[in-house]
Amino acid sequence: MKVRKISIFNQLFICLAILLLAGNGVLGYSAYSHSESSLFQQIQSNARNIAQCAAANVNGKALAKIEAGGESSAAYNIVMQQLAVFRDNSELEYIYTLRQTADTEFVFVVDSDPEDPAEIGEICEMTDALCRAFEEGITIADDQSFSDEWGNHVSAYSPIYSDEEIVGAIGVDISANWIEEQLADLRNLVLITGIGTYSVSIMILGFLMQRFKKSMGKLNDKVKELASGSGDLTKEIDIDTGDELEVIAGNMNAFIRQIRSLVKDVAQSTEDILQTGQELKTTVDGNIHIMSHMNAEIEDINANME
């Protein structure tokens, strides 16, 4: 009898292959997401550290004196020089100072960008982190990066004090483009590793399934022989796998030995019956001969009596 649908071996192989693929996918996605989060947190930490150090070194009194149009003032130059130290010696893109002019408005004061600096009083885009830096007096970084024509950036802010009063804040922008580069390398690594481990797993699974299928084939062939009545009861199933199949084969061999013993007993009994029948036939033939002789004598006696 042939299998009418997909065999159990193929079903197991397909199910396990799908499970392996799903497991590799989940593992790769988890590693990618965790690495992305770790890289972003690392940039946030670097941005906060630089902003905090810069805020501690900026002259708050000089910053408070800077007014619109004061790009050539001494206070402006002092703050610019202090910002330039971090601009030229830190891995950041931009460093600048900000001032709050209204509850929801922030403007640039000193922008250290040598190519296209923002003017004093130019409005800066408000973020939650920037508001909290002024309101709570803490060093904080944005929760998300922002994109512009120059790429992706992560910003951090730290308040600047003068006589224990917040007179402004340092803003730093660090490029997040290298995160994409790192994630691209990570994607390639996860992809290569996933394909490699999946291929090896499929090969091992195929080997195990083929071994299991071969052993099951031996059991099935022996059962077919016994079912057809043409099986050789002197040959046993030879499976040496050390697993449940070997145990099943051992039990099957014990069953074959039992059948062989029963067949031998039946054959011996049949031979004994035949021998007894032959002896019975000989006895009956002898009795018939005796009866024939007795009939002849009786006939002679009848003749003599007549």
Side-chain angles (χ1 to χ4, degrees):
M1 181 178 179
K2 294 184 179 180
V3 178
R4 293 184 292 110
K5 296 182 179 181
I6 301 176
S7 67
I8 188 172
F9 303 104
N10 292 334
Q11 292 180 26
L12 287 174
F13 183 83
I14 293 173
C15 291
L16 292 176
I18 293 175
L19 288 176
L20 285 172
L21 182 61
N24 282 341
V26 171
L27 183 61
Y29 178 78
S30 299
Y32 180 84
S33 299
H34 180 72
S35 298
E36 183 179 16
S37 177
S38 297
L39 290 172
F40 187 77
Q41 290 176 4
Q42 182 179 348
I43 285 187
Q44 283 182 313
S45 178
N46 292 339
R48 286 195 301 266
N49 291 336
I50 295 174
Q52 188 172 17
C53 291
N57 285 272
V58 168
N59 191 323
K61 293 182 179 181
L63 181 66
K65 295 178 181 179
I66 300 175
E67 301 293 340
E71 284 84 0
S72 59
S73 64
Y76 185 92
N77 292 330
I78 291 174
V79 176
M80 176 63 77
Q81 291 175 2
Q82 292 171 340
L83 295 181
V85 173
F86 292 91
R87 179 196 63 194
D88 300 334
N89 297 279
S90 301
E91 295 180 357
L92 51 82
E93 291 184 304
Y94 307 104
I95 181 169
Y96 44 86
T97 59
L98 300 168
R99 179 183 296 159
Q100 186 174 12
T101 58
D103 292 340
T104 59
E105 186 176 271
F106 301 90
V107 297
F108 288 96
V109 182
V110 179
D111 184 2
S112 65
D113 185 3
E115 297 180 358
D116 187 20
E119 298 180 357
I120 301 175
E122 185 176 336
I123 296 176
C124 174
E125 182 178 355
M126 182 191 67
T127 65
D128 292 338
L130 179 56
C131 292
R132 292 184 61 187
F134 276 93
E135 292 175 359
E136 303 176 21
I138 59 175
T139 301
I140 189 172
D142 287 332
D143 293 332
Q144 295 180 346
S145 61
F146 69 93
S147 301
D148 55 21
E149 57 183 320
W150 295 282
N152 294 328
H153 315 274
V154 176
S155 299
Y157 309 95
S158 184
I160 301 173
Y161 291 89
S162 177
D163 296 330
E164 300 183 355
E165 180 184 355
I166 297 177
V167 295
I170 283 288
V172 297
D173 296 341
I174 294 182
S175 175
N177 291 332
W178 74 278
I179 291 183
E180 294 298 328
E181 298 174 359
Q182 298 295 324
L183 291 178
D185 294 338
L186 180 61
R187 281 194 296 268
N188 295 333
L189 179 61
V190 169
L191 184 61
I192 294 173
T193 303
I195 293 176
T197 55
Y198 183 72
S199 300
V200 173
S201 299
I202 288 295
M203 292 174 61
I204 295 175
L205 179 61
F207 171 76
L208 294 176
M209 293 299 295
Q210 187 64 30
R211 184 182 179 187
F212 182 73
K213 187 175 182 180
K214 183 178 179 181
S215 300
M216 287 297 295
K218 290 182 179 180
L219 291 175
N220 185 53
D221 292 340
K222 195 63 178 180
V223 172
K224 285 170 61 178
E225 289 180 5
L226 295 176
S228 63
S230 61
D232 187 357
L233 297 178
T234 62
K235 294 182 179 180
E236 297 184 352
I237 305 173
D238 183 19
I239 296 178
D240 185 16
T241 57
D243 52 16
E244 290 81 357
L245 289 177
E246 184 176 350
V247 175
I248 295 174
N251 294 331
M252 194 70 183
N253 289 332
F255 177 66
I256 292 173
R257 287 193 293 269
Q258 185 177 4
I259 293 177
R260 186 167 64 236
S261 178
L262 291 174
V263 171
K264 184 177 180 181
D265 292 342
V266 171
Q268 184 64 39
S269 300
T270 302
E271 186 178 351
D272 293 341
I273 291 173
L274 290 175
Q275 185 176 357
T276 302
Q278 185 65 33
E279 293 176 355
L280 181 60
K281 181 178 181 298
T282 303
T283 303
V284 171
D285 290 341
N287 292 334
I288 292 174
H289 179 69
I290 293 172
M291 291 297 294
S292 297
H293 182 66
M294 289 178 64
N295 287 334
E297 290 180 353
I298 292 173
E299 290 178 355
D300 292 340
I301 292 173
N302 287 332
N304 291 331
M305 287 179 67
E306 289 177 357

